[in-house]
Amino acid sequence: MHVRSFQLSDYRPVTQLLETVLSEECYEQTMEAFARQLSWDSELVLVAVAKDEIVGMIIGTIDDNKGYYYRVAVHPGYQRQGIGKALIRSLKQRFEQRKVSKIMITADEHNEPILSLYESLGYAANDFFRSFQKLSIVAG
């Protein structure tokens, strides 16, 4: 498995992954944010590839010199294998390269179940940006 930047040819497999992993409401919100982030800065959208298949993805954004993890998704057949952690670490490197002042985790109702994943990587409750706004509003 390796992590790399999103490429245009990844669009269909990524949307299929998101449809598989996310609830319908979460999918709609994520697709809006995904499209907007691609238009702003596609280098903050990463994919995890195993056996030539996209098995995970993460969307990040930078706003007001702060890096935000927005959404991470891993195919059910590949969960609990360290892919989510690899995606988070890779995006953290991108944030550090951009010299953001702080890294935050967008903690909306859809991310609540995986906040423990971020905690296992050393993030604390004060790193969670509790927002029920969409990324387009937060980063716009």
Side-chain angles (χ1 to χ4, degrees), residues 83-98:
I83 293 170
K85 287 181 179 181
L87 286 162
I88 292 166
R89 287 186 186 116
S90 294
L91 187 53
K92 181 181 181 185
Q93 289 177 334
R94 300 271 169 111
F95 287 149
E96 289 171 346
Q97 289 167 355
R98 307 274 185 98

Side-chain angles (χ1 to χ4, degrees), residues 18-126:
L18 294 174
E19 281 180 338
T20 300
V21 175
L22 306 177
S23 69
E24 187 175 332
E25 178 188 4
C26 183
Y27 173 80
E28 296 298 326
Q29 289 178 13
T30 301
M31 288 305 294
E32 272 184 45
F34 176 48
R36 189 160 274 116
Q37 187 58 40
L38 288 179
S39 72
W40 287 335
D41 186 349
S42 63
E43 289 295 309
L44 297 177
V45 178
L46 305 177
V47 296
V49 181
K51 302 177 193 162
D52 294 325
E53 279 187 57
I54 291 178
V55 297
M57 67 91 65
I58 191 165
I59 302 169
T61 195
I62 295 175
D63 184 38
D64 196 24
N65 201 38
K66 292 184 181 89
Y68 292 88
Y69 297 107
Y70 176 68
R71 187 80 69 227
V72 60
V74 176
H75 189 280
Y78 288 86
Q79 291 176 0
R80 304 207 178 279
Q81 296 179 27
I83 293 170
K85 287 181 179 181
L87 286 162
I88 292 166
R89 287 186 186 116
S90 294
L91 187 53
K92 181 181 181 185
Q93 289 177 334
R94 300 271 169 111
F95 287 149
E96 289 171 346
Q97 289 167 355
R98 307 274 185 98
K99 300 185 181 351
V100 299
S101 61
K102 183 159 179 62
I103 299 174
M104 306 286 289
I105 296 97
T106 303
D108 63 13
E109 70 270 28
H110 305 295
N111 280 346
E112 288 288 335
I114 63 159
L115 294 182
S116 60
L117 171 64
Y118 289 101
E119 289 171 337
S120 75
L121 289 167
Y123 292 96
N126 61 350

Side-chain angles (χ1 to χ4, degrees), residues 28-29 32-33 36 70 131-140:
E28 296 298 326
Q29 289 178 13
E32 272 184 45
R36 189 160 274 116
Y70 176 68
S131 171
F132 295 94
Q133 299 176 356
K134 296 180 175 109
L135 176 67
S136 58
I137 296 169
V138 173

